[in-house]
């Protein structure tokens, strides 16, 4: 095999540069993790954590390997052999380091992370020279990085849950039947049953409502479109349990409806005869199944609407026109042509809603009452004094298995069973209007929904502006003053600023990682793609509570010790929201003709250059929208974060929850309304400034040419 | 074909490409002469584009080796192979101007700005687009985009030029003039070129040599005339233009073959060794068939099933001894309506005997 010499020289220079970077990190940066995190450590603590000052031989292991790699005593050997040695040595050193840190309990710090990166980069460069991923060093490195991150932050944490279930924590005994004991224990079956019943009920209602909305939006009236935009954006920017809070304000024990009914029918009510005892008492009917059902229906209908709306757009009007020319009536056409075409989409929307409902934690937590579901059971297993990680783990694995199974069905079975083909021959024909009785009944549902949503959001904003909702409706700013007027170190500010900071750090990283994963999985063929695909799929299906539990179990001991730091929050934001980046990336990449990149490669640009000059400019809108969306999701993150925050790293949602738990609804909704406003403003600003650029239009054009 | 000092050949040795479990290229050996324009021709799915992409480095061979000149490029990535490619979709960068597109490769090589501008201007002039540099791609017509793509490929003076169905997005008239332009540029530069197409007339018009492919294997290699006049198989005969595959008897008589088709005896000058004798199938080109009223000459008799007037000729479908025969008769000859009994008069020039039997092209 002849390997061109100039390329070899370049690879050797890169290997040398990475080795030196790893050695430099050893010399000056903290090699051990610091107890209080990198930014809160004292200079003396930093200095004591530097690799060669740590009284331990482990830091020397990667350092010696890197030193050897810098020299490359085998450089004179045949290139194929020499590169095999580089790749094997780099990979083996990483594995040995991680195993050593795990066995001897050494928490790895910044320098260790840099050394692992350097060893990985060297292995990737060498593997590329051996022909891996079409001989592409940058791509090989990216794939290795992605695989490493997925292994470290998705697969490894999940494996610790499994281990915690089957191995006794205190005695180290192997307990293979523990899982079944927990499953058979009281409460477990009920929680599973409750979760499934709730999920199916919610999925039925959201799918029907989503269908009604999609029908009405595509076929009824153009006036509706502006409203629809707000409607589809609201649930995204609303923190997960704020809709639940609003429901409590309206329907709760001292909510508006109870008060109203009490005023009419209660003891001494307007419609009750003088001296009568009344027919109505205060009731907590909203707590339990119906409360969660209502909150989740409100929260997830937009998702199912978006899925179905997207599908409606791809049905060619000519199919309906063909049916109409064959003397079918409007209704017959809908029934025999349009709905069957929609069937895969309906199934899709249904299954997505099931997954969302199973994973939802916020609404069951505050509205559940004694209606236990899996996600809340997980939380209650380890919160407070109970601290039963094995039970939490077993519940988590069950929840994960159910949502993963549904996700696989949704992805593999429905995904392929789509009848819709995009021919690119658009322009002809009009969608058929709905039969008038249908249009009218859809309209009633849609406007009733909008009115209801308006009342709910109104109550969130008003609730923060009155003294005590349900008892004293005097307008007041005291709640907002308590949150925002006591200085930056008090009230709502610390958690608000902390959330903002962490979300801003996480958002671009999420977008870039997600889009990179989308890029390598859709555009490249390589050994190990199965693992990356599987990890990406897990990240789609993994419920937040399961992730939270797995993170505390995995990251409060070496080698990766992150519990209590702000870093673990950032990491959880990134891997929780990664699917957003992946989805955006996949759909944006499908618009970009692959031959554009190939043209760049044959123009002698390497893959890094190709990505910078060709792919990134064309993906810019996708990167921005993925960043915005990840930012918003990080701001409203709750289900995983609740397991990971500390008093120092409190975030907005957990602060609000603490206020709810203290019965402090006024302050809670005041904070919630500020959060909603923040995100509304951010997303509208971005929408305004980014919009549809000239580049984007040309991308569409290039896609059309292909 | 001008083999300049710089031009190099391409060699594929035992190349196989498997996607998942699907063998797309099956152990192919192929040598492409330096300085030639070689066409890979075949129906869709035959593997011709995969071969092109393997040469470009956009796919990795499952096994086998690829050589460009005396360098084994099997493990090299596309950006290190010194090839240039013109894509079916042109693959022009939509976010760059015409000039930026053409100058992209130079910019990647860090060629100084002044030299770059000069070379871009010259490359654009070479393809007849002088002055179009500042335009964006979406302001160019399809034919102009095609020229930009060619200019971009030529500007790096690559060792190998690859064309992936470059004309398939153009209308018929433009296609004809573009293919002549491409041929002329290739002759002028002498760069070894590989050209993929499924259109046999395009292949015949531009190539020095044509490689006909079928289901991942090479069916036949030859000059355009070779392939048309002396197809090696029923597949090649029917894919290279239209052909009737008829049962016949073949007899060797010295330097000639005598082919008997339904009573007619045709003498063929082609008597290569290896051709079958006795009962065999032969290919008869539709334009070498004349129709005469039944009984006027010796030959296969049949009934006209349908005839269609297409301007320069009349096309006939004739039922002849249970088989359908297609004939193209130039205007000016007597016309026979459906139901007429006719005898086929076959010109031996349009008859080919082939060594391999097998299925004809669909």
């Amino acid at each position: 095999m002849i390997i061109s010499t100039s390329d070899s020289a370049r690879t050797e220079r890169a290997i040398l540069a990475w080795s030196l970077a790893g050695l430099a990190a050893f010399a000056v940066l903290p090699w051990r993790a610091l107890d209080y995190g990198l930014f809160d450590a004292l200079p003396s603590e930093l200095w004591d954590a530097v690799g060669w000052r740590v009284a331990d031989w482990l830091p020397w292991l990667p350092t010696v390997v890197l030193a050897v790699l810098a020299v490359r005593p085998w450089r004179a050997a045949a290139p194929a052999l020499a590169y095999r040695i580089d790749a094997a040595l780099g990979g083996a050193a990483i594995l040995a380091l991680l195993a050593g840190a795990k066995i001897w309990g050494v928490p790895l710090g910044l320098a260790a992370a840099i050394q692992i990166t350097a060893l990985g980069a060297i292995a990737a460069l060498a593997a590329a020279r051996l022909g891996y991923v079409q001989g592409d060093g940058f791509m090989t490195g990216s794939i290795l990085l992605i695989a490493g991150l997925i292994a470290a932050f998705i697969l490894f944490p999940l494996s610790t849950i499994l281990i915690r279930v089957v191995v006794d924590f205190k005695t180290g005994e192997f307990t293979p039947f523990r899982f079944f004991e927990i499953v058979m224990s009281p409460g477990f079956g009920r929680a599973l049953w409750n979760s499934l019943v709730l999920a199916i009920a919610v999925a039925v209602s959201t799918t029907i409502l989503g269908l009604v909305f999609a029908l009405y939006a595509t076929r009824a009236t153009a006036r509706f479109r502006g409203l629809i935009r707000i409607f589809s954006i609201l649930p995204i920017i609303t923190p997960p349990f704020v809709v639940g809070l609003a429901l409590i304000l309206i329907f709760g024990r001292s909510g508006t409806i109870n008060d109203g009914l009490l005023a009419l029918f209660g003891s001494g009510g307007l419609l009750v005869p003088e001296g009568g005892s009344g027919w109505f008492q205060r009731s907590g009917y909203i707590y339990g199944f119906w409360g969660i059902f209502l909150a989740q229906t409100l929260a997830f209908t937009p998702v199912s609407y978006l899925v179905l709306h997207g599908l409606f757009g791809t049905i060619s009007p000519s199919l309906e026109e063909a049916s109409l020319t064959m003397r079918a009536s409007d209704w017959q056409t809908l029934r025999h042509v349009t709905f069957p075409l929609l069937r895969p989409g309906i199934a899709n929307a249904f299954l997505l809603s099931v997954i969302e409902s199973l994973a939802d934690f916020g609404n069951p937590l505050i509205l559940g009452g004694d209606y236990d579901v899996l996600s809340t059971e997980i939380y209650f297993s380890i919160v407070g004094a109970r601290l039963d990680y094995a039970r939490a783990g077993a519940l988590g694995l069950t929840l994960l298995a159910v949502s993963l199974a549904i996700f696989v069905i949704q992805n593999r079975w429905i995904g392929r069973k789509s009848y819709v083909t995009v021919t690119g021959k658009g322009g002809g024909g009009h969608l058929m209007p709905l039969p008038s009785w249908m249009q009218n009944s859809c309209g009633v549902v849609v406007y009733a929904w909008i009115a209801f949503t308006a009342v709910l959001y109104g109550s969130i904003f008003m609730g923060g502006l009155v003294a005590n909702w349900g008892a004293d409706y005097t307008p007041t700013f005291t709640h907002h003053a308590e949150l925002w007027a006591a200085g930056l170190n008090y009230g709502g500010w610390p958690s608000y600023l902390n959330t903002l900071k962490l979300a801003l750090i996480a958002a671009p990283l999420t977008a870039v990682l997600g889009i990179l994963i989308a890029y390598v999985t859709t555009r490249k063929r390589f050994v190990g793609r199965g693992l990356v695909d599987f990890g990406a799929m897990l990240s789609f299906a993994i419920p937040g509570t399961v992730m939270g539990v797995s993170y505390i179990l995995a990251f409060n001991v070496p080698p990766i010790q992150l519990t209590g730091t702000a870093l673990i929050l950032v990491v959880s934001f990134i891997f929780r929201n990664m699917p957003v980046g992946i989805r955006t990336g996949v759909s944006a990449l499908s618009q970009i003709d692959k031959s554009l990149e190939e043209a760049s490669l044959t123009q002698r640009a390497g893959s890094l250059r190709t990505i910078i000059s060709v792919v990134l400019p064309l993906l810019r809108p996708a990167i921005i929208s993925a960043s915005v969306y990840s930012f918003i999701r990080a701001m409203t993150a709750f289900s995983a974060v609740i397991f990971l925050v500390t008093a120092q790293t409190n975030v907005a949602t957990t602060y609000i929850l603490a206020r709810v738990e203290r019965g402090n609804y006024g302050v809670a909704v005041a904070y919630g309304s500020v959060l909603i406003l923040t995100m509304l403003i951010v997303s509208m600003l971005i929408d305004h400034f980014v919009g549809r650029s000239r580049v984007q239009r040309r991308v569409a054009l290039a896609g059309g040419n292909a | 074909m001008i083999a300049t000092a710089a031009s190099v050949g391409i060699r594929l040795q035992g190349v196989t490409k498997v996607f998942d479990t699907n063998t797309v290229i099956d152990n192919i050996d192929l040598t492409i002469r330096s300085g030639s324009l070689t066409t890979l021709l075949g129906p869709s799915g035959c593997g011709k584009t995969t071969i092109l992409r393997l040469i470009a480095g956009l796919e990795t061979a499952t096994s086998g080796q690829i050589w460009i000149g005396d360098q084994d490029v099997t493990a090299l990535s596309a950006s290190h192979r010194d090839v240039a490619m013109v894509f079916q979709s042109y693959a022009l960068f939509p976010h760059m101007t015409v000039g930026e597109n053409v100058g992209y490769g130079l910019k990647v090589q860090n060629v100084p700005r002044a030299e770059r501008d000069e070379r871009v201007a010259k490359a654009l002039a070479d393809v007849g687009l002088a002055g179009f540099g500042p335009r964006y791609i979406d302001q160019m017509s399809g034919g102009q985009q095609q020229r930009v793509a060619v200019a971009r490929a030529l500007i790096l003076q690559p060792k190998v030029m690859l064309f992936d169905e470059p004309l398939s997005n153009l209308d018929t008239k433009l296609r004809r003039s573009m293919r002549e332009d491409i041929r002329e540029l290739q002759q002028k530069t002498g760069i070894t070129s590989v050209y993929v197409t499924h259109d046999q007339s395009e292949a015949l018009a531009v190539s020095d040599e044509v490689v006909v492919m079928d289901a991942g294997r090479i069916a036949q290699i030859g000059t355009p005339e070779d392939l048309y006049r002396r197809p090696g198989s029923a597949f090649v005969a029917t894919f290279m233009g239209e052909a009737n595959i008829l049962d016949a008897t073949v007899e060797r008589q010295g330097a000639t073959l005598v082919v008997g088709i339904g009573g007619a005896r045709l003498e063929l000058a082609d008597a290569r060794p290896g051709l079958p004798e006795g009962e065999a199938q032969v290919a008869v080109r539709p334009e070498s068939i004349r129709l005469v009223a039944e009984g006027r000459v010796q030959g296969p008799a049949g009934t006209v099933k349908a005839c269609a007037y297409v301007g320069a000729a009349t096309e006939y479908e004739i039922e002849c001894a249970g088989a359908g025969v297609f004939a193209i008769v130039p205007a000016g000859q007597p016309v026979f309506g459906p139901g007429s009994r006719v005898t086929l008069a076959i010109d031996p020039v349009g008859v080919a005997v082939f060594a391999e039997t097998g299925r004809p092209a669909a």
Side-chain angles (χ1 to χ4, degrees), chain A residues 457-537:
Chain A
Y457 279 86
S459 75
I460 294 170
F461 283 89
M462 296 313 296
L465 293 171
V466 299
N468 187 358
W469 187 278
D472 177 2
Y473 288 93
T474 323
T476 170
F477 283 111
T478 49
H479 303 311
H480 281 286
E482 186 185 336
L483 284 169
W484 314 116
L488 289 185
N489 291 322
Y490 300 95
W493 280 112
S495 59
Y496 182 80
L497 293 176
N498 190 40
T499 315
L500 210 55
K501 182 182 80 185
L502 297 179
L504 281 174
I505 294 171
L509 296 174
T510 314
V512 167
L513 181 63
I515 289 173
L516 194 61
I517 291 176
Y519 185 79
V520 303
T521 52
T522 57
R523 289 287 215 256
K524 301 284 166 186
R525 293 165 191 279
F526 54 92
V527 181
R529 201 174 90 176
L531 173 83
V532 174
D533 269 339
F534 178 69
M537 193 183 72

